[in-house]
Amino acid sequence: MLFSMPAMGVRPVLSAFGVLLLVVVARFFVKLYTMRMRMVKLRKMGMPMPPHSFLFGHLIVFGKLGIPNDVHGHVYCRMLRRAYPDLPPNFYVDIWPFGEQMLMISDPTVAYQVAQESSLPKFEYLKNYMTPLTGDKDLLTMEGKEWKTWRGIYNPGFAAAHLMTMVPGIVEDTQVFCDVMTKYAKAGGLFKLEEIFTRLTVDIIGRVILDTRMNAQTSSNDLLDGFRSQVQWLPLGNEINPFRKYRPLRPLVFWYNLRRMNNWLSRELDARFSSRQATHFPPTLKRSKPVIDLALDAYLASRGESPATTGMDSTFKSFAITQIKLFLFAGHDTTSSTLCYVNYLLASHPAALATLTEELDTVFGTDLSETAELIAQNPHLLNKLPYTTAVFRETLRLFPPASTLRQGSPSFSLSIPNHPTPFPTFPFTVWIVSEAMHRCPLLWPRPDEFLPERWIVPEGHELYPVKGAWRPFEFGPRNCIGQEVAVLESKIIIACTVRMFEVLPAYREWDQLRGREGGRVAGERAYQVLLGSAKPSDGMPARVRLRGKE
């Protein structure tokens, strides 16, 4: 009798578990039916989409594309359109339960309706994704009046004219980068290009935003370490492995890293405010000021307070810590990845490299040791680099680091050219897929070719870009606040490094060392992966040598 009691006690538990499992399964299939019927309704309305399965949605279609699992999601739109040539630029996809039901857009006229004409709110999941990195209330995910107020506070620091005053500091950080690259060239070893470009951009962001020497290229700190760790632990939207998708330690790691980053930034802001008070300049005196100083001036002015205030407002400090982490995330996204791809593309396009070198020689002379000083003394020389700018823009066309996700609205539908029925946006995620738009043959002749000439030909030329079809920074009120920083620092870094260093991508050697062949997208080994944003696969393994030396 005693031995049978535990067995009898287990039955109710098993029964309860069975009922719970039945409820979960039932709810899953009810949700599955609801989601799939939504797509059935769209098809009856004549809405375009790839071949759809009632059971699997578009998961089978996605799987047949044969691209690596770690690829960035924005690549799928382009690959779907190439796999199904009749698929128009705007179409619906259904990858539930592994993702959202989406309306993918790669038509600039339709993108205009979403981002500029109506400015739909940001995708609601984006806030959950960004919280581990920024905390709360960042400019990327805020909405309405609150967003408008804080965007206005930070706008002055990112004005192109003001950023020119920051050029000497950016040049100084770039010279440190040249020293690092020289060491790699002399050592001759294999390294990850994305890592060292990221460290450079972190140094530049620290200087531009805080007037702080982060020294990320030569050492480390809690902000950089915490940030890099946080990115590594972010959930991947296309992750199927449940052990990686639902990592039990993730909340603890997120909390620890946020605490490290916030404490470091709090100390730096306190130090910056003390320095500001000790060396206060009248507002009318023009000088180089970091973004945070101009933001604080604007914040105090909005409250009718004097710039000589003796304490940092806790509200401003909290928002500042959040925005600095956002700027770090967005800044290292755009610039570090783009500079990797600039070197990657130039390595395989000698004619473009020769034209770029000729322009830099013309503007700065052939003595490479003088380039940095010339830029620091006369930043406006950077405005005389049309081909350098074209290389930057063409690289962003081929490898944009991000795109925009918006939340559909019941009251908003899209007017689609040559389609009689408006496209409903609710309850879908509306995705302006810049990567697909940038490689659309209807918009770009020879869309997969690296042709910087697109950006310097006259209007009317077949290569001349279609208005609104280049959107790496997006358009409208929610465009990228830091785009001028990205353009400026990229031109400085290209000018100071391209003629000095020959970067040799080493994917084949990297794959041999690992003992397995790496994935490819349309034959491209350096495809973009989702790691916080779109990054080059495997960090872009490379070697470097000094030009003119074997």
Side-chain angles (χ1 to χ4, degrees):
M1 186 68 177
L2 289 174
F3 289 99
S4 65
M5 289 179 64
M8 291 176 62
V10 167
R11 289 174 186 159
V13 174
L14 291 176
S15 297
F17 179 77
V19 171
L20 179 61
L21 181 61
L22 184 62
V23 170
V24 170
V25 171
R27 290 186 64 180
F28 172 84
F29 278 103
V30 169
K31 181 69 176 289
L32 176 69
Y33 178 82
T34 302
M35 300 295 270
R36 299 295 187 253
M37 284 303 297
R38 183 181 296 153
M39 304 306 286
V40 169
K41 181 179 179 181
L42 286 176
R43 282 193 298 169
K44 289 180 178 179
M45 294 169 60
M47 298 300 162
M49 65 182 70
H52 185 264
S53 162
F54 193 86
L55 184 59
F56 296 105
H58 289 124
L59 294 173
I60 295 176
V61 168
F62 273 55
K64 287 182 177 179
L65 294 176
I67 55 182
N69 289 334
D70 61 347
V71 72
H72 192 286
H74 66 196
V75 173
Y76 282 101
C77 184
R78 166 170 55 108
M79 300 306 293
L80 283 168
R81 291 197 65 206
R82 295 190 179 184
Y84 300 93
D86 293 334
L87 204 59
N90 314 291
F91 59 91
Y92 292 88
V93 295
D94 174 15
I95 56 172
W96 192 90
F98 294 102
E100 303 294 322
Q101 292 181 323
M102 293 176 286
L103 170 56
M104 288 184 163
I105 294 171
S106 55
D107 180 335
T109 61
V110 180
Y112 175 86
Q113 298 176 53
V114 175
Q116 294 157 262
E117 196 171 69
S118 68
S119 192
L120 286 173
K122 291 298 182 81
F123 175 40
E124 58 187 16
Y125 175 75
L126 188 61
K127 186 174 184 64
N128 297 332
Y129 186 80
M130 291 300 299
T131 295
L133 287 169
T134 61
D136 191 22
K137 293 187 180 299
D138 61 67
L139 286 173
L140 183 63
T141 58
M142 278 193 289
E143 297 287 351
K145 184 178 180 181
E146 185 178 46
W147 168 82
K148 187 175 182 180
T149 297
W150 285 99
R151 174 75 184 234
I153 285 171
Y154 279 94
N155 273 337
F158 290 97
H162 168 70
L163 290 172
M164 280 297 193
T165 69
M166 309 298 293
V167 166
I170 298 175
V171 169
E172 184 179 327
D173 289 327
T174 303
Q175 289 178 299
V176 175
F177 176 80
C178 290
D179 292 339
V180 172
M181 288 285 277
T182 299
K183 291 178 181 177
Y184 276 111
K186 291 179 178 179
L190 192 66
F191 65 97
K192 292 192 174 185
L193 193 61
E194 190 270 334
E195 170 70 22
I196 62 170
F197 270 127
T198 293
R199 290 182 175 274
L200 167 59
T201 55
V202 168
D203 274 349
I204 292 173
I205 292 166
R207 190 184 291 269
V208 170
I209 303 298
L210 274 175
D211 193 25
T212 294
R213 274 68 171 170
M214 290 197 179
N215 300 317
Q217 299 182 81
T218 55
S219 61
S220 194
N221 57 57
D222 278 348
L223 177 63
L224 178 61
D225 290 345
F227 177 80
R228 296 286 284 179
S229 173
Q230 211 77 322
V231 170
Q232 293 288 338
W233 278 80
L234 283 173
L236 303 180
N238 54 355
E239 180 60 66
I240 297 176
N241 184 342
F243 295 102
R244 286 189 56 83
K245 192 176 184 70
Y246 305 107
R247 299 165 78 176
L249 290 179
R250 183 178 282 134
L252 181 61
V253 173
F254 281 171
W255 172 84
Y256 174 67
N257 286 331
L258 270 178
R259 186 170 179 271
R260 294 167 69 195
M261 292 189 288
N262 291 348
N263 288 343
W264 192 93
L265 285 170
S266 179
R267 291 192 298 270
E268 288 297 320
L269 282 171
D270 289 341
R272 179 63 209 162
F273 191 82
S274 297
S275 172
R276 167 191 167 96
Q277 298 307 109
T279 58
H280 180 68
F281 285 78
T284 55
L285 185 59
K286 292 184 179 180
R287 65 184 187 93
S288 174
K289 297 176 72 173
V291 169
I292 204 68
D293 276 16
L294 294 180
L296 183 55
D297 288 345
Y299 175 76
L300 293 172
S302 71
R303 294 167 60 88
E305 298 180 26
S306 166
T309 300
T310 58
M312 181 178 291
D313 183 288
S314 60
T315 299
F316 178 83
K317 185 176 182 179
S318 175
F319 272 81
I321 288 174
T322 297
Q323 305 327 314
I324 292 169
K325 288 180 290 184
L326 173 65
F327 299 148
L328 180 65
F329 173 73
H332 101 282
D333 272 357
T334 301
T335 311
S336 62
S337 297
T338 302
L339 290 170
C340 283
Y341 282 115
V342 165
N343 283 275
Y344 176 78
L345 291 166
L346 290 175
S348 58
H349 294 83
L353 176 61
T355 303
L356 176 61
T357 300
E358 182 181 1
E359 177 177 88
L360 296 174
D361 286 347
T362 300
V363 175
F364 301 112
T366 56
D367 186 346
L368 304 188
S369 64
E370 295 182 354
T371 302
E373 186 63 25
L374 287 170
I375 295 173
Q377 291 182 355
N378 186 6
H380 292 282
L381 287 173
L382 297 168
N383 295 329
K384 298 181 179 181
L385 302 174
Y387 195 80
T388 304
T389 304
V391 166
F392 173 74
R393 291 171 69 89
E394 182 69 350
T395 302
L396 275 174
R397 184 186 70 82
L398 290 171
F399 297 101
S403 51
T404 187
L405 290 160
R406 303 299 177 94
Q407 196 66 45
S409 168
S411 61
F412 183 75
S413 297
L414 293 168
S415 298
I416 307 296
N418 302 317
H419 200 281
T421 308
F423 280 36
T425 64
F426 183 82
F428 305 100
T429 299
V430 182
W431 192 353
I432 300 176
V433 192
S434 56
E435 200 270 357
M437 192 182 302
H438 290 179
R439 292 187 184 236
C440 176
L442 300 176
L443 301 171
W444 306 89
R446 299 152 67 186
D448 294 328
E449 295 184 40
F450 177 64
L451 298 172
E453 292 74 20
R454 298 180 197 275
W455 305 100
I456 53 179
V457 296
E459 187 172 0
H461 191 283
E462 67 166 344
L463 290 178
Y464 191 81
V466 173
K467 183 179 180 181
W470 187 75
R471 315 178 76 91
F473 301 111
E474 203 37 74
F475 292 107
R478 301 301 299 257
N479 66 352
C480 175
I481 191 173
Q483 58 184 290
E484 294 293 344
V485 179
V487 175
L488 180 65
E489 64 180 328
S490 295
K491 288 199 289 186
I492 292 171
I493 295 166
I494 292 170
C496 290
T497 62
V498 163
R499 293 178 297 165
M500 186 179 296
F501 303 106
E502 182 182 9
V503 174
L504 306 168
Y507 277 105
R508 180 176 298 178
E509 182 181 357
W510 175 257
D511 290 342
Q512 289 174 346
L513 288 173
R514 296 191 306 168
R516 60 185 177 88
E517 185 71 20
R520 293 178 182 273
V521 173
E524 178 61 75
R525 179 64 180 85
Y527 63 89
Q528 292 179 297
V529 300
L530 176 60
L531 192 60
S533 64
K535 302 279 191 180
S537 63
D538 294 312
M540 192 166 286
R543 294 182 184 273
V544 63
R545 62 189 180 197
L546 297 172
R547 290 202 183 274
K549 298 183 180 181
E550 296 297 331

